[in-house]
Amino acid sequence: PALGLFLFTIARDPLRIIILIAGAFFWLVSLLLSSLIWFIAVKASDPRDEPLQKGLLIFGVMFSVLLQEAFRFLYYKLLRKAIEGLVALSEDGCSPISIQQMAYVAGVGFGLMSGAFSMINLLADSLGPGTVGIHGDSQLYFLTSAFMTMVLIFLHTFWGILFFHGCEHRRWWEIAAVVVMHLAVSGSTFCNPLYVGSLVPSYLLMAVAATWAYLLSGGSAQNLRRFLLCKS
């Protein structure tokens, strides 16, 4: 589904591809900084203290979420300046891409890079040694991880729309809602290997975020009905 979003809505427009790649780069930088801080914290602590190591892992995940959202805000500021430049260069005084479209493409960029790193980690685990479930654990590790990766890609897309809308209209509670949802989804992964505890809440939040983003983008029940019935 994520590949379909890219092919049908982004791949044909060079400007959207540039925005997507830049968004992926911003997410990558946020991951690099959060990984560096977590690495230093782990090296500076006692590796034999299991409660401390678990606490550091939770801290690392929560800090990474906050850093990602901080970089999403920086990316919004950069795109806002880019729109002003595009308007100044255009002949008709209009930007070739709206802030809503930028929010969508930037969200897809964040999501695709997040999904790519999730896939890399899974492929590294699949090299072995051992077999999934050999010690009585769930054999659905790779399947559930694939579904989790997909939901995170879509959530980043919807969060991008909500976050940019909140910044554009100074609705800080919308930005706070995005941060809280991101923290909740990331925190739910600590329920694993009880995958129901992470997948079900994540998909419910995705449905809420998708509906919210659809309405903020100008969607309505009538438009949705026309789309499903293939009516113009």
Side-chain angles (χ1 to χ4, degrees):
L3 180 61
L5 284 180
F6 172 75
L7 291 177
F8 292 110
T9 64
I10 298 174
R12 298 179 181 180
D13 190 331
L15 182 58
R16 294 187 183 187
I17 293 177
I18 293 173
I19 295 172
L20 179 133
I21 293 175
F25 174 76
F26 268 71
W27 186 91
L28 194 61
V29 173
S30 72
L31 177 68
L32 176 64
L33 291 178
S34 58
S35 299
L36 180 63
I37 293 174
W38 179 80
F39 179 79
I40 294 173
V42 169
K43 289 298 182 181
S45 62
D46 184 4
R48 294 168 295 181
D49 191 342
E50 292 187 5
L52 176 61
Q53 293 301 317
K54 185 176 182 180
L56 287 176
L57 179 61
I58 295 174
F59 162 77
V61 171
M62 300 299 113
F63 181 80
S64 177
V65 168
L66 296 176
L67 200 58
Q68 287 177 47
E69 298 305 327
F71 270 81
R72 199 192 303 272
F73 179 74
L74 292 176
Y75 193 40
Y76 162 77
K77 287 292 188 181
L78 178 65
L79 291 178
R80 208 71 194 79
K81 292 292 184 181
I83 286 182
E84 295 175 3
L86 291 172
V87 170
L89 292 174
S90 64
E91 296 180 355
D92 56 358
C94 298
S95 172
I97 185 170
S98 66
I99 190 66
Q100 291 86 357
Q101 293 171 335
M102 283 186 170
Y104 163 74
V105 177
V108 175
F110 268 63
L112 287 179
M113 184 55 70
S114 172
F117 265 80
S118 297
M119 287 181 61
I120 290 172
N121 291 332
L122 289 174
L123 292 174
D125 288 339
S126 69
L127 294 176
T131 303
V132 174
I134 196 172
H135 294 297
D137 296 325
S138 173
Q139 297 183 7
L140 301 176
Y141 170 68
F142 291 109
L143 183 62
T144 53
S145 297
F147 276 98
M148 194 66 190
T149 299
M150 184 176 69
V151 75
L152 280 174
I153 294 174
F154 280 114
L155 278 171
H156 271 293
T157 302
F158 303 140
W159 288 337
I161 296 172
L162 298 176
F163 195 97
F164 278 42
H165 186 272
C167 292
E168 193 72 7
H169 296 86
R170 298 188 179 277
R171 296 182 180 179
W172 308 119
W173 60 272
E174 290 183 351
I175 299 175
V178 170
V179 175
V180 170
M181 283 191 288
H182 199 166
L183 287 171
V185 171
S186 298
S188 69
T189 58
F190 290 108
C191 295
N192 295 336
L194 182 62
Y195 297 114
V196 175
S198 60
L199 283 177
V200 173
S202 297
Y203 272 85
L204 289 175
L205 279 176
M206 185 190 72
V208 172
T211 304
W212 193 358
Y214 175 72
L215 294 175
L216 289 182
S217 301
S220 64
Q222 185 179 8
N223 292 340
L224 183 61
R225 191 181 308 110
R226 287 178 177 176
F227 167 75
L228 294 175
L229 296 176
C230 299
K231 293 182 177 180
S232 59

